[in-house]
Amino acid sequence: CNRTYYGRVGWTYTLQVTKPERGTLPHFCQLTFIASGDMYGDLIQISLHKFNLGRFVSHTTAGCPDGYMQIEELSRPLNSGYWCGASWGHNVYYSETSAVSLMLRVFNRLETQPQDNQAAYMPPDTIMLSISYRFLRKERAVLRYGAPYNPKYRGEDIPNAFCDRTFENCDKKNCKIQSPNFPGMYPRNLTCYYQVKQSRVPDGKVALIRIYQRNPHLIYIKDRNAPHLSRERQMRVGSACHVLHDYLVAFDGSTTRAPILATLCKGGAPLTGITSSGPDLLLVFHASPFDFPFQDTPRRRTFGFELDVEVEFVDRESTAYVRPGGQCEHRVSSRGQRSGYLQAPAHSLLPNTTCTWRLVADPSEVVWLYFLHYRHVIHSEMPPPAHCSNTLTILDGDPRSRSISPNDQSSDNVTKEMEILGRFCRPEKLPRVCSGVHAPGPHAAPCSPEESYVSHSPALTLTLRYAAGTAPAHVEFLARYEFVDKRQWGTPTPGGGPCDRTFTLQPDGLFASPRDVFLFGRGGSRKLRCVYTFLALPYQRVAVRIIRSRMGASCTTEYRQASLRYECSHGGAPGHPAIWVREQPWESVWLTRACLCGTYHARPFSLVSYTSRLVLELNIPSMTAAQDYTDFFFEGEYTILNTVPSEGGCREATVPLSGRHGNFTVTASTLGDPCPRLPRLVTATDGSFIFLKLHGHAASETNCPVSSRINVYAAGGVVPLASVCPASNPEFTTVFSSGWRGGVVKQSSEDHQPHHHQQPPQQHGRHPGEPQRQTRDLLVEMVGNHSDRYLVTWVSVWRPLQTAPLSPAEADLCPHRCPEIQACLPPELWCDGEPHCPAGTDEGAAACGILAALPWVYLLAGIILLGSLVALLAAVVLHRRRTQAVNAVATAVVENNSHGLKSATEDLLLPLEKESW
């Protein structure tokens, strides 16, 4: 006793102190250990192998009547804590400084240990204290100070305090809250204050401080006198820690007047976490004045605790944050934000706390709520919670703003208004979760109403009750809410779809596409078709103006100078979204006025109908799970215009034209009678094609200075077959019906075309939803602003056949042919005094002169007879010449005989062998 001990690093020294004799009482013994630095160490480790000093009777008052041991360190205030009784297990003390003093005081010597002493396990002997001690280098004490490359921040000491520390801005530091003399025995009779605060907080955020420990071996606070008899690995909370009065208290604030989040003791299990509701957290560690040294299990090598600190920044307006002193209640109105997220509180809550989220919409709206994540977390280190400690309830309505009209006081209506959509308290029973909504790329899945919660009233309420607080268990969830606007303009169309509307009553007004998310891909729908019908009186017209529209990112609206029309960039091809503006001047025949995709305020779309009924159709063939009314929408206004009623109601213009041929005039004048401005329909009969001849040339984007165009469509088509720039000169353009080229009938090999002949496209667009049939009817429309009238003539024609069944090979199957267009005219139009072929072939001399009047069979016979007569005449002439030649030979023979030559008359008695008639 009363000595100072030194040593070297790496050596272990032992020391024993015997019990004093009775005659030397009261007895005092002081053992001082000093680490001199460098090879002599910086810290001291003292292990208690045997300790037997008097009786231990209480943890709080007069607990050591026979004597005690105190531990004092250099440069630290004297701590009046005491150990007495008998030790058990492996007890180690690590100094915080370079000098430690053990002070032993003995007042009474007991020969035998009393039976009522709970700690009297070792047999009595003469050894009062047996220890071993070592000297350690500070850089090797990594469990306390951390590795050199990642040192632990243990806080700043508060002056004149034994163990108080402050921690600031732990978001950038490796903060560790440790008990005094960690990882060894902590002193007795102390109260340590650990203040954790976050002063650097981003704008719009709130700092939440969380303490936790995932390693179950780094937290142990003594909770009973004989802990080695219990093997449970759980923390103790609340009053269970007041047996020994060693406990750790967490305050939700910077003072002890703040709400208590948890009172903890024991250990052997990981601490899930305790989170403050603001930037301040106060931990208070309390140890009782009296105790006996013990270790509850030989496998444990640490005493006290080490806690990790984490700082989380949440939005100030987030539902994961409850203002200090306020209630856990949040109210969200559709007038402030159309959608957002709800979170369970990210910080700890007290028992019997109820959090409420009230989602209040406008009368024309409903509330859509779906969970992206939901987890019921039970803290295994805590005592098991009671049944339904955390209960989530989803209500259809708002109980605080609920109002019932005086005429509707029935209890059934009240029950319906506050219908319970779901109630969940068991961990195995979870609400509907749409986890695939935010999956990456093509794996995203829509969230349908069957996978979520949709209110019937314009409000929805969530309540989450924490019966035991968040210490034994807590709920983590992330839910998305959205206020769904069910309002639509106009009146529902009888027998129509959910978004088909009719506008008839008001003389003018607004209209727009639906904003109901359940009609779009994000709400579970894959396609959408909405038809808006504008009806006026027979003498009225409808003027629409699309102010703003969008049909996805890949579709744009293009204004074609060639046709003076608005068309979609995809050309009306099937499978693409579009807004179609059309009307029906004739029964079962639609006229497409425009195809729209993107329209902006700077260049709105305007149009006046030809008739008193105009139809606007929103057609979206396919949508992804991420698309909604922000990707496909339009906004517009309409006006009802009065026109001058015409006698007969424009009957002449609305009756389809038919027959073998005809003509009509078109104009784009906006003055006076509206009937001449109506488009005209020419129908084909008897399987014929329509051949149109229009004055003007084929229009392109740059070659027409006139402010009007004549557009020719196939009946029901969405894009023109041809666009003509009108002109009064003799120049003209010809147009055929669809199918003239490339049809099922075999055409002739000739393919001569006039310079301005318009070849129709092989495939042309049609109205969405209409069957893809090929029609030969033509529709002629003049657009723009031009007062002149232009004549349009038309003829029914057929394509010439190469062969026909049951016909002679030499038969002409196209006797009335226009060679310049390779078409066959009806017989009654051939030589009728009016040219129908582009070059006038049907009225020329070859078709209608003297030769044309002779029968072709007789003419052929005459030619054959004339040829025969010429051949006969040639034969006679040849015979005469041969006869003359024979006579000349006979005369020569006679002359020879008179000179004595042999006669050859016998040879002339036979005819020549090769002579013929």
Side-chain angles (χ1 to χ4, degrees), residues 572-575 580 715-718 762-775:
W580 301 96
V718 298
Q762 178 67 21
Q763 298 290 339
H764 57 82
R766 295 192 176 275
H767 185 269
E770 293 289 332
Q772 291 291 333
R773 64 183 186 276
Q774 192 174 58
T775 177

Side-chain angles (χ1 to χ4, degrees), residues 508-554:
D508 53 13
L510 303 175
F511 65 96
S513 57
R515 296 178 59 86
D516 188 349
V517 69
F518 298 121
L519 299 177
F520 295 85
R522 193 163 56 81
S525 298
R526 295 187 177 181
K527 58 183 178 180
L528 177 65
R529 181 173 180 264
C530 300
V531 179
Y532 298 82
T533 305
F534 301 87
L535 297 178
L537 297 178
Y539 61 89
Q540 294 177 330
R541 298 295 179 263
V542 181
V544 296
R545 185 169 179 262
I546 305 298
I547 303 173
R548 194 166 66 102
S549 67
R550 188 172 189 262
M551 288 290 109
S554 60

Side-chain angles (χ1 to χ4, degrees), residues 613-625:
R613 181 172 181 262
L614 185 69
V615 174
L616 187 144
E617 179 179 329
L618 170 66
N619 188 17
I620 309 172
S622 63
M623 288 178 284
T624 65

